[in-house]
Amino acid sequence: MEGAQVSLKKELLERAKSLGFSDRQIAELTGIGETDIWNHRKSIGLVPSYRLVDTCAAEFEAYTPYYYSSFDRGDDEGSPTEAKKVMILGGGPNRIGQGIEFDYCCVHASFALKEDGFETLMVNSNPETVSTDYDTSDKLYFEPLTLEDVLHIYEREKCWGAIVQFGGQTPLNLAIGLEEHGVNIIGTSPRSIEMAEDRELFAAMLRELNIPQPENGIATNGSEALAAAQKLGYPVLVRPSFVLGGRAMQIVYSDAELERYMQNAVEASPERPVLVDKFLENAVEVDVDCISDVGLFDDPAQGKVVVGGMLEHIEFAGVHSGDAAMVLPPPNLSPSVTDTIRQYSDAMARKLGIVGLMNVQYAVKDEVVYVLEVNPRASRTVPFVSKAIGAPLAKLAARIMGGKKLSELGFTEEVIPSFWTVKESVFPFNRFHGQDILLSPEMKSTGEVMGIDKDLGVAFGKSQMAAGASLPMEGSVFISVNDMDKADVASLARDFERLGFEIVSTAGTARVLRESGLNVREIFKVSEGRPNPLDLLLNKEIQLVINTPSGQTPRSDEVKIRTSSVYSGVPIITTLGCAKAAVSAIATLKEKGFDVSALQDFHQALGGKG
């Protein structure tokens, strides 16, 4: 209960804190509001002291120390200065779905702000990141990213401001609470962040700007979710609000699937509703990273919004942007679509008063541009885009947060490369035996690579090599696709046949290919007999697998084929979009081969902006 009188004995509270209980845990146990626990502790002087880790082991003076907090009695080894300080909140513990790309942004923010004369404080708790290297920032606080711990550091150091938009969703979720406690959130305001994150506020903003989005609904329980889905029509995309890495996102195709999802995947409540969106099948997804200084001006018509990069997904919409293969600049979008995307991005950035970075995810279907979501923060694609265009977007954004204008920084126009860059994701499937490799709205990748070339096919081929799945130049390709993809599979197989590949398929796909006049080696399904795909993979008789899923619940045969491909080191493709890109890449590589150039050589063609 917030606002209650706190009657906890000082000795009991001291013991609880020394044992590691957070204010939130104490609030849960006592029924007293977390803010009241915080205020009471401060009133009785119960705050942590900070201990120093000597990064030079006392050999010589450490200029870049880092600290950890303790509620045990002892000397406070910290030494706050009078410098103007900015606190940067990192991404917290790293895990699949978190994305190390956010750490890149935090590190670049620290470097940029130090160059501009600020003292930088990094708050993060992951020892496997560059942001927690002892020499990245002026001071490192190795602390959890909780409201309580961040506030202690901010008040102790008397920081001028804090950056929450570079560490991903974890620090972003702290923005409102920090502002309520008097923290100066520099960059985009927490209220604007809330407008983008809150479904109803976001929908109202889009209606005001006359920007379309897929039909959607909100559910706080199972019956509301069913009603929303039936109104929208299946398939629908369901997800919890304020998610990280697309966690618990799913595309559902029936009432039964939705009921299972609501029972097993999420805990819906009025405070944490489930979002239900109409899923646009066969739409092209586009990621856009923008940089803006609009929020530094009183008039939102002033300032600039510059598109950093526009990336077209190779897979159809429905694959998490952290997992999707993408191309910059977009190869298949019409000029009218790209112009519309720029107009929508500019309008939303001005409405939200963006200061720094903004990521927008669009879906394009039948030349209509829909907004899927807006993230008023750094995104997973910022490092890739920065390398592709030769401009350090995270550094520029940090300097804008510190008060600089884009015109001062000399970055006022979109850079469109004269070459192709392909982002491909790297997955840990070979470490998780039995785990199906299908991509979905929930992020599964643990890294990414870039393929870059003046030819798109070669750039895609390079990206596959870098991701550890080099495309074969000859041999046999196993093709097995779902019923929806069978209309397009013949042209794909014909392209492989022209390149000299043997086509291998099971009965259903083989029949479709033969009807189109193609030669096919037909084999049994895994459950039917031998030889089957597993035998051919084991005997190294297949050099490439193309297997698109048959439904939301994969058949056991498909899972065995996909996992066996991973363990055999045979490249596997699970979407027709990627398969078409792959056959184009093989054709180009067989004809032209490829050469290797330094990234800086490509940047020179852009005028040396990197």
Side-chain angles (χ1 to χ4, degrees):
M1 181 188 301
E2 298 290 347
Q5 183 67 34
V6 180
S7 58
L8 292 174
K9 291 182 179 178
K10 181 179 179 180
E11 294 78 13
L12 178 62
L13 197 54
E14 284 179 342
R15 179 155 174 73
K17 297 305 289 184
S18 69
L19 289 172
F21 283 84
S22 68
D23 287 353
R24 176 172 291 187
Q25 288 172 313
I26 296 170
E28 287 283 337
L29 293 169
T30 61
I32 300 170
E34 184 180 354
T35 300
D36 296 312
I37 299 287
W38 163 268
N39 291 332
H40 178 63
R41 275 200 303 101
K42 287 183 65 180
S43 70
I44 62 175
L46 182 54
V47 293
S49 58
Y50 289 86
R51 309 293 168 80
L52 169 68
V53 176
D54 187 346
T55 53
C56 297
E59 250 185 279
F60 43 87
E61 185 179 357
Y63 291 101
T64 50
Y66 68 86
Y67 301 92
Y68 66 95
S69 64
S70 172
F71 275 92
D72 292 334
R73 291 187 178 89
D75 294 335
D76 192 317
E77 298 177 327
S79 54
T81 67
E82 297 301 316
K84 192 173 184 180
K85 305 184 188 77
V86 173
M87 171 194 285
I88 302 165
L89 302 188
N94 199 32
R95 55 196 179 275
I96 294 175
Q98 171 71 35
I100 204 67
E101 298 88 349
F102 295 124
D103 200 64
Y104 166 101
C105 295
C106 291
V107 170
H108 276 238
S110 181
F111 291 164
L113 291 170
K114 279 201 282 188
E115 289 169 11
D116 282 356
F118 292 95
E119 182 177 314
T120 57
L121 281 62
M122 187 69 67
V123 182
N124 205 1
S125 56
N126 180 3
E128 296 300 319
T129 59
V130 181
S131 67
T132 51
D133 283 359
Y134 67 88
D135 58 352
T136 295
S137 301
D138 293 306
K139 287 181 183 175
L140 165 65
Y141 281 87
F142 204 80
E143 292 289 284
L145 284 157
T146 68
L147 184 65
E148 172 187 344
D149 292 288
V150 171
L151 283 173
H152 279 310
I153 300 165
Y154 185 88
E155 293 187 356
R156 178 180 185 276
E157 289 279 358
K158 297 182 174 60
C159 294
W160 169 72
I163 292 177
V164 301
Q165 290 123 315
F166 283 167
Q169 195 68 41
T170 301
L172 206 68
N173 288 344
L174 298 176
I176 295 292
L178 291 171
E179 187 182 54
E180 289 173 349
H181 282 81
V183 171
N184 174 31
I185 304 292
I186 63 173
T188 305
S189 75
R191 299 302 160 193
S192 293
I193 294 170
E194 186 180 24
M195 185 185 295
E197 297 274 359
D198 183 280
R199 177 49 56 96
E200 292 181 347
L201 295 175
F202 182 58
M205 180 189 81
L206 293 183
R207 284 194 298 271
E208 180 184 336
L209 297 174
N210 197 28
I211 296 175
Q213 70 173 144
E215 293 182 88
N216 58 78
I218 300 176
T220 59
N221 54 51
S223 60
E224 288 183 7
L226 281 172
Q230 289 165 359
K231 179 182 177 183
L232 296 172
Y234 291 102
V236 294
L237 176 68
V238 286
R239 55 183 168 138
S241 51
F242 299 93
V243 295
L244 172 68
R247 211 163 46 224
M249 277 193 190
Q250 189 173 313
I251 301 166
V252 300
Y253 293 82
S254 67
D255 287 352
E257 285 183 18
L258 183 57
E259 286 172 352
R260 280 197 301 272
Y261 174 86
M262 294 299 293
Q263 289 171 5
N264 303 322
V266 294
E267 292 183 15
S269 69
E271 294 76 28
R272 291 288 179 185
V274 169
L275 312 178
V276 184
D277 295 336
K278 176 65 180 173
F279 179 66
L280 301 173
E281 290 190 286
N282 297 328
V284 175
E285 195 161 340
V286 181
D287 258 70
V288 175
D289 285 310
C290 300
I291 188 166
S292 165
D293 60 7
V294 168
L296 298 178
F297 297 84
D298 294 331
D299 181 359
Q302 294 183 300
K304 285 194 171 292
V305 180
V306 181
V307 170
M310 191 181 300
L311 301 104
E312 179 182 338
H313 291 214
I314 292 174
E315 293 89 355
F316 280 132
V319 174
H320 192 279
S321 61
D323 289 351
M326 304 182 193
V327 183
L328 185 160
N332 300 308
L333 301 182
S334 68
S336 65
V337 165
T338 55
D339 287 346
T340 299
I341 287 173
R342 291 186 184 95
Q343 291 166 15
Y344 288 173
S345 301
D346 185 274
M348 289 185 290
R350 293 186 187 281
K351 182 64 179 177
L352 291 168
I354 297 294
V355 179
L357 292 168
M358 178 182 80
N359 170 262
V360 191
Q361 292 171 22
Y362 294 96
V364 180
K365 186 169 184 178
D366 301 326
E367 291 292 291
V368 178
V369 178
Y370 299 88
V371 173
L372 300 180
E373 63 177 286
V374 172
N375 297 303
R377 55 165 170 79
S379 73
R380 289 181 174 81
T381 46
V382 164
F384 177 87
V385 171
S386 297
K387 291 180 186 297
I389 68 172
L393 292 179
K395 276 189 171 184
L396 293 169
R399 300 183 74 182
I400 291 168
M401 292 176 177
K404 292 273 198 319
K405 309 284 197 314
L406 277 168
S407 57
E408 294 177 65
L409 299 174
F411 189 77
T412 56
E413 293 182 5
E414 179 181 358
V415 178
I416 301 178
S418 55
F419 45 85
W420 300 101
T421 58
V422 177
K423 179 183 90 72
E424 182 56 281
S425 299
V426 178
F427 298 93
F429 296 126
N430 60 347
R431 306 293 179 90
F432 296 96
H433 283 235
Q435 171 70 42
D436 195 7
I437 70 167
L438 280 185
L439 303 183
S440 71
E442 185 166 356
M443 184 175 165
K444 298 176 181 176
S445 62
T446 52
E448 64 184 41
V449 295
M450 174 189 282
I452 182 169
D453 201 90
K454 292 179 180 178
D455 185 285
L456 178 56
V458 174
F460 183 82
K462 286 180 176 179
S463 75
Q464 302 310 296
M465 295 177 208
S470 296
L471 297 171
M473 296 295 107
E474 59 184 10
S476 299
V477 54
F478 173 74
I479 303 177
S480 176
V481 298
N482 60 42
D483 290 340
M484 287 177 58
D485 290 335
K486 280 177 179 163
D488 298 319
V489 73
S491 63
L492 175 72
R494 189 170 287 108
D495 288 339
F496 274 106
E497 189 177 66
R498 286 196 195 103
L499 293 171
F501 284 85
E502 178 191 36
I503 309 299
V504 182
S505 296
T506 49
T509 303
R511 184 176 61 254
V512 173
L513 297 178
R514 284 203 187 98
E515 288 171 356
S516 298
L518 289 155
N519 295 316
V520 185
R521 177 185 174 190
E522 184 175 331
I523 59 175
F524 290 107
K525 292 182 179 179
V526 175
S527 57
E528 292 176 343
R530 311 182 85 164
N532 60 50
L534 301 187
D535 297 322
L536 270 61
L537 285 167
L538 184 64
N539 295 334
K540 312 263 184 217
E541 295 180 51
I542 293 175
Q543 282 66 51
L544 177 65
V545 172
I546 297 170
N547 177 229
T548 63
S550 59
Q552 187 61 36
T553 304
R555 296 180 183 139
S556 60
D557 278 16
E558 296 175 4
V559 176
K560 289 175 182 175
I561 292 169
R562 290 191 285 264
T563 54
S564 294
S565 299
V566 171
Y567 305 146
S568 303
V570 175
I572 176 164
I573 296 171
T574 59
T575 67
L576 275 193
C578 263
K580 291 172 182 175
V583 74
S584 171
I586 293 169
T588 307
L589 288 169
K590 283 173 75 82
E591 178 187 351
K592 299 180 179 178
F594 70 93
D595 55 16
V596 177
S597 300
L599 185 62
Q600 290 78 3
D601 294 339
F602 286 98
H603 288 171
Q604 283 183 356
L606 300 174
K609 292 180 186 298

